[in-house]
């Protein structure tokens, strides 16, 4: 479960967001934040399990200020110049069906994360 929720307060450009999470709230360079749209409640047999949120993206705090942080999506890769053929490697993924009882399926709509980030979206700190 996530603690306090923050929000996207400005979209500077295609690479940079401002989030109202600053060092006065504990922000540090390298903190990861997920940008979400709150989804439908998941209530099963009367038990509330939270919401099935759309995770729009994950960003990293690159510069924390007192009341906000500059955040960007950072990807880190390791290239080995001594092994040039590794650049040709490709990872393939395949979804395999589970052995489930078809009568037990709920057919709940699962968010796909294709939504665009907007000012006002919720940002939640991910524990590193």
């Amino acid at each position: 479960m996530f603690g306090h929720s923050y929000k996207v307060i400005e979209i500077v450009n295609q690479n940079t967001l401002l989030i109202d999470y600053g060092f006065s709230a504990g922000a540090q360079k390298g903190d990861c934040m997920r940008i979400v749209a709150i989804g439908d409640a998941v209530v099963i047999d009367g038990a509330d399990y939270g919401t099935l949120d759309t995770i729009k993206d994950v960003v990293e705090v690159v510069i924390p200020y007192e009341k906000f942080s500059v955040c960007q999506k950072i990807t880190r890769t390791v290239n080995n110049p001594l092994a040039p053929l590794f650049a040709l490697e490709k990872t393939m993924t395949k979804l395999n069906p589970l052995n489930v009882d078809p009568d037990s399926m709920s057919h709940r709509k699962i968010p796909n994360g294709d939504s665009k980030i907007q000012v006002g979206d919720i940002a939640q700190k991910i524990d590193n």
Side-chain angles (χ1 to χ4, degrees):
M1 181 169 238
F2 294 90
H4 189 273
S5 288
Y6 304 94
K7 68 180 178 178
V8 175
I9 57 173
E10 185 176 321
I11 299 172
V12 177
N13 56 40
Q14 193 171 1
N15 300 314
T16 307
L17 303 174
L18 302 183
I19 295 177
D20 69 344
Y21 169 62
F23 61 74
S24 63
Q28 297 179 21
K29 183 178 179 176
D31 283 349
C32 289
M33 310 288 291
R34 70 181 197 165
I35 312 300
V36 302
I38 301 300
D40 295 332
V42 176
V43 179
I44 299 171
D45 296 330
D48 185 351
Y49 290 93
T51 55
L52 188 57
D53 303 336
T54 298
I55 301 172
K56 294 183 174 187
D57 221 328
V58 176
V59 296
E60 183 176 314
V61 172
V62 293
I63 305 172
Y65 290 88
E66 183 179 358
K67 294 186 179 182
F68 68 93
S69 290
V70 175
C71 299
Q72 297 176 328
K73 184 174 182 174
I74 307 293
T75 303
R76 292 175 175 79
T77 58
V78 177
N79 292 327
N80 184 347
L82 300 177
L85 294 180
F86 282 120
L88 300 175
E89 285 185 3
K90 189 181 230 182
T91 301
M92 303 295 284
T93 58
K94 178 183 174 189
L95 181 62
N96 294 302
L98 301 168
N99 185 17
V100 298
D101 177 3
D103 294 331
S104 295
M105 293 183 210
S106 70
H107 299 286
R108 181 187 304 270
K109 185 176 185 274
I110 301 295
N112 60 12
D114 286 344
S115 299
K116 304 258 186 243
I117 296 172
Q118 299 176 357
V119 171
D121 278 348
I122 294 171
Q124 299 170 324
K125 183 176 182 297
I126 300 171
D127 291 330
N128 299 6

